[in-house]
Amino acid sequence: MKLKNDLILKAAKGENIDRTPVWLMRQAGRILPEYRKIRNSLSGFKELVETPYLAAEVTIQPVDILNVDAAIIFSDILVIPEAMGLQYEMVEKKGPYFPKTVSNLTDINNLNTSNIEDRLSYVFEAIKITKEQLSGRVPLIGFAGAPWTILAYMIEGQGSKTFSRAKSFLYREPKLAHLLLDKITQTTIKYLKLQIEAGADLIQVFDSWAGILSPEYYKEFGMKYIDEICKAVCDVPTTIFSKGAFFALDQMKNLNCNTIGLDWTMDAGNAVNIFKNSKTLQGNLDPCVLYGDFKLVETKTKEMLDKFVNSRHIANLGHGVYPDTDPEKVKCFIETVKSY
Ligand code: CP3
């Protein structure tokens, strides 16, 4: 199916485009009443993720309602630890919880890395249905968590302010950490290739906890594996979003990826200088701007766009949109980018 709007793919490849494409991380979800309606009719988040025709429906909602230039498949980065044998629960108002975690060699050896095509078939099915229903309106983004962020949840078993159990595992058990990261990486590569086979037009890797490691440790335990993923997944454009890792931007110049995600703490001018249009930059409006009035959203969005003039750019927020954001403010952000 030929795409009617392929702005984001052209932007990712550095081709000439008439305007900057725009989408939002976490656009499919709680900001939309239409999402909450479907979600509340089910037993929980996981039922939605694991029911392909419903996952497809909420994936397409932001395309219909917000008019974004891309859809992102409704799923979660935590389906990978689950497929490897660690079931997760999504606890209302608290977040993910893993009853079983990883702490030693036996736990790592017990992880299952084979036949993920069977255990994650619901994701590929959701991608196929979404592609069919989008009928080429906009590209579909597939995604996965980066190995370090997935390791962090596998060791910690839940969210944390410091992730000190996961971080100290790198210091205490570096060999085991590499063994685990390698297993996660190989599984993630297979998973992303299968998403592309099912129809994903672009891939984003989320390293949400990149910014809590020291530069040396991020290089050894984070970037090393992102580099492997970038080398292996090259059939569609790829985006690497290492949240908080301003210190790693220099290292990222050498990655075999198209786009680098910037969070709102990263200085746009600095990033433009580092990459010199060798890569596309994505971001990076502070999601909190969307709590302001329409005038503020418009002004701050334009100021953000000004910083990327003459640069390869995909407009986005600097992290996922917060759940209590007014969808009208999101629309204002999107319209401001489109009419810039
Ligand atoms: O971006 C999208 O719209 C696509 C769907 C998507 C979700 N999670 C759905 C979701 C994506 C891309 C993710 C990625 C994800 N999941 C990340 C990386 C991005 C980031 O935000 O840093 C992380 C760290 C997770 C793990 C996760 N999932 C947490 C910590 C939580 C609880 C906190 C929260 O935001 O609610 C989730 C739950 C989750 N994943 C929800 C959604 C829509 C909320 C569940 C609900 O409906 O109540």
Side-chain angles (χ1 to χ4, degrees), residues 6-7 10-11 15-21 337-340:
D6 60 354
L7 281 173
K10 286 194 165 139
E15 294 170 11
N16 279 337
I17 37 176
D18 297 334
R19 68 163 174 86
T20 304
V337 176
K338 288 190 169 181
S339 57
Y340 181 71

Side-chain angles (χ1 to χ4, degrees), residues 26-28 30 35 39 45 75-77 90 143 208 319:
R26 295 291 188 107
Q27 65 189 17
R30 291 163 298 182
Y35 166 85
R39 167 81 167 72
F45 172 74
S75 186
D76 203 274
I77 63 169
M90 197 58 80
F143 70 90
S208 304
H319 198 197

Side-chain angles (χ1 to χ4, degrees), residues 10-300:
K10 286 194 165 139
K13 292 182 209 152
E15 294 170 11
N16 279 337
I17 37 176
D18 297 334
R19 68 163 174 86
T20 304
V22 56
W23 69 285
L24 283 86
M25 291 183 273
R26 295 291 188 107
Q27 65 189 17
R30 291 163 298 182
I31 59 160
L32 296 176
E34 294 83 353
Y35 166 85
R36 287 199 300 270
K37 191 166 162 233
I38 295 180
R39 167 81 167 72
N40 291 338
S41 71
L42 303 170
S43 63
F45 172 74
K46 285 185 76 175
E47 188 183 350
L48 184 46
V49 166
E50 290 162 14
T51 310
Y53 81 96
L54 291 176
E57 184 172 345
V58 298
T59 298
I60 297 172
Q61 281 176 348
V63 180
D64 291 333
I65 301 164
L66 304 172
N67 232 341
V68 281
D69 290 311
I72 177 161
I73 190 66
F74 188 82
S75 186
D76 203 274
I77 63 169
L78 303 176
V79 302
I80 280 291
E82 178 154 275
M84 293 174 76
L86 303 180
Q87 289 258 333
Y88 73 95
E89 299 159 14
M90 197 58 80
V91 184
E92 274 323 302
K93 298 200 164 67
K94 280 194 75 180
Y97 176 72
F98 291 83
K100 215 168 80 190
T101 55
V102 169
S103 50
N104 54 43
L105 179 61
T106 314
D107 297 338
I108 297 173
N109 285 335
N110 282 338
L111 293 171
N112 187 352
T113 57
S114 57
N115 299 334
I116 59 151
E117 57 278 22
D118 299 331
R119 270 167 291 130
L120 292 171
S121 59
Y122 58 88
V123 179
F124 312 124
E125 196 52 40
I127 290 177
K128 283 181 197 151
I129 298 173
T130 305
K131 280 294 287 180
E132 224 173 86
Q133 295 183 350
L134 277 174
S135 54
R137 274 197 287 162
V138 291
L140 177 62
I141 303 171
F143 70 90
W148 152 244
T149 287
I150 296 301
L151 173 142
Y153 283 106
M154 283 179 152
I155 302 265
E156 205 83 31
Q158 57 195 330
S160 157
K161 277 212 175 103
T162 54
F163 277 90
S164 39
R165 265 187 76 186
K167 268 176 79 175
S168 62
F169 189 73
L170 307 185
Y171 289 106
R172 288 182 288 111
E173 300 283 2
K175 283 210 180 85
L176 290 187
H178 279 301
L179 192 65
L180 177 53
L181 287 164
D182 182 60
K183 276 201 159 182
I184 298 168
T185 303
Q186 300 321 318
T187 312
T188 302
I189 288 172
K190 271 190 257 170
Y191 178 50
L192 291 173
K193 287 188 166 175
L194 288 164
Q195 289 188 46
I196 295 168
E197 218 172 276
D201 300 293
L202 190 140
I203 291 294
Q204 175 153 328
V205 176
F206 288 90
D207 210 354
S208 304
W209 301 109
I212 64 174
L213 293 183
S214 69
E216 295 75 29
Y217 268 59
Y218 191 55
K219 190 171 182 188
E220 181 179 347
F221 295 95
M223 289 294 289
K224 176 174 190 287
Y225 297 96
I226 289 179
D227 186 53
E228 277 187 41
I229 292 174
C230 289
K231 283 185 176 129
V233 180
C234 44
D235 288 339
V236 301
T238 44
T239 301
I240 303 301
F241 177 51
S242 294
K243 184 167 180 293
F246 60 90
F247 51 81
L249 288 178
D250 239 343
Q251 300 170 34
M252 296 175 96
K253 275 196 295 201
N254 301 321
L255 287 176
N256 183 36
C257 71
N258 302 71
T259 303
I260 299 293
L262 303 177
D263 71 47
W264 70 90
T265 70
M266 294 173 179
D267 182 64
N270 181 45
V272 166
N273 257 331
I274 290 176
F275 291 100
K276 303 206 165 37
N277 264 348
S278 64
K279 298 213 185 299
T280 301
L281 301 172
Q282 175 174 276
N284 71 340
L285 189 73
D286 185 344
C288 276
V289 167
L290 302 187
Y291 292 126
D293 58 21
F294 291 104
K295 192 75 211 120
L296 184 87
V297 174
E298 210 184 307
T299 311
K300 290 293 167 195

